[in-house]
Amino acid sequence: DVTVLPVGLDVNRLNETAPDQQFLQRLTTQVTGRLLLSVGQMLPHKHPEMLIQMQYLLTEYCRRSTTLVIVGPPTIQAIADAVAEQAAVLNTTNCLLYGQVTDAELAALYSRADLFVSASTHEGLCIPAIEAMAAGVPVLAKQVGALPQTVGQGGILLPPAAGPELFAETVIELLDNEPLRSRLAGLGLQEVRRFDAEQSIKSFLDLLDEAI
């Protein structure tokens, strides 16, 4: 018999981190409307350019008041530069590229975010998605890699081939449908319990006790 246990994480790490108050004030002045947050390294498979295009559609064609915030280290500087250039060429409004941030700043972002968005096409255990759910923020991502097992019912997973149009349409549905967003947030809080380190250790010891 084989039993699979989730890797143990400190899922409440950021919840127990005091948000940076100066950064929160910065968000108050820079963020307009609903905050769409993406967290991850600047790598090709993360496809941050698709999120720029999504934000362009939301503001230019759908006339929605949203702000896209992308944070994460510029692991490949050329990708970070290309994303910034695309935002400038499209004249995408309310698109903030913060780069790498501290835990206190990240805690502030999760406390302010309405949705967590990811256009990644390859993910193992997606820590930012778990952090978002632990903060009560629903996840919008693609059904790729281990995201279905990670997110569970704590968000909406789009087909792997989903483009910026479907992302924009789904964002609108989630922002307009408060009962759905609240239900996903509640389910996300339940999902992250599976990854709690103490629970994983207890489950492992229980299985070990049965085996010996």
Side-chain angles (χ1 to χ4, degrees):
D1 294 334
V2 176
T3 299
V4 178
L5 296 177
V7 62
L9 301 172
D10 184 2
V11 296
N12 291 310
R13 178 179 65 88
L14 290 178
N15 290 339
E16 297 168 352
T17 300
D20 186 305
Q21 293 302 311
Q22 289 186 339
F23 194 78
L24 273 175
Q25 183 60 39
R26 178 182 176 185
L27 292 176
T28 299
T29 59
Q30 293 184 339
V31 172
T32 301
R34 315 297 283 276
L35 195 158
L36 312 177
L37 177 62
S38 179
V39 180
Q41 301 179 61
M42 286 291 183
L43 293 170
H45 71 271
K46 301 287 189 180
H47 292 287
E49 77 283 351
M50 186 175 295
L51 300 180
I52 300 291
Q53 296 160 16
M54 173 198 73
Q55 173 67 4
Y56 175 76
L57 293 174
L58 285 169
T59 56
E60 183 69 19
Y61 290 97
C62 303
R63 303 299 179 184
R64 293 296 177 129
S65 180
T66 58
T67 297
L68 172 65
V69 177
I70 299 179
V71 301
T75 307
I76 298 182
Q77 189 61 49
I79 299 294
D81 294 341
V83 169
E85 182 180 1
Q86 182 183 53
V89 169
L90 290 176
N91 194 27
T92 307
T93 58
N94 300 337
C95 184
L96 305 175
L97 308 176
Y98 284 154
Q100 190 162 8
V101 297
T102 66
D103 280 355
E105 291 170 338
L106 190 56
L109 283 164
Y110 280 123
S111 72
R112 176 65 176 80
D114 293 282
L115 292 176
F116 175 89
V117 291
S118 168
S120 178
T121 55
H122 175 70
E123 290 293 329
L125 182 66
C126 186
I127 301 297
I130 294 175
E131 293 173 343
M133 292 189 295
V137 180
V139 173
L140 173 59
K142 291 188 174 185
Q143 192 170 357
V144 295
L147 277 169
Q149 293 81 11
T150 303
V151 175
Q153 300 183 75
I156 291 182
L157 299 181
L158 301 177
E165 299 88 354
L166 186 53
F167 267 90
E169 290 175 1
T170 310
V171 165
I172 291 172
E173 173 62 24
L174 285 169
L175 294 181
D176 288 352
N177 192 334
E178 174 63 30
L180 172 60
R181 197 170 70 256
S182 296
R183 182 170 66 85
L184 292 175
L187 291 171
L189 291 172
Q190 296 178 29
E191 293 287 356
V192 295
R193 295 174 187 168
R194 297 183 290 117
F195 300 99
D196 181 72
E198 290 186 7
Q199 181 59 46
S200 293
I201 293 172
K202 181 181 182 303
S203 298
F204 173 74
L205 292 177
D206 288 344
L207 289 168
L208 191 61
D209 184 59
E210 293 178 10
I212 59 177

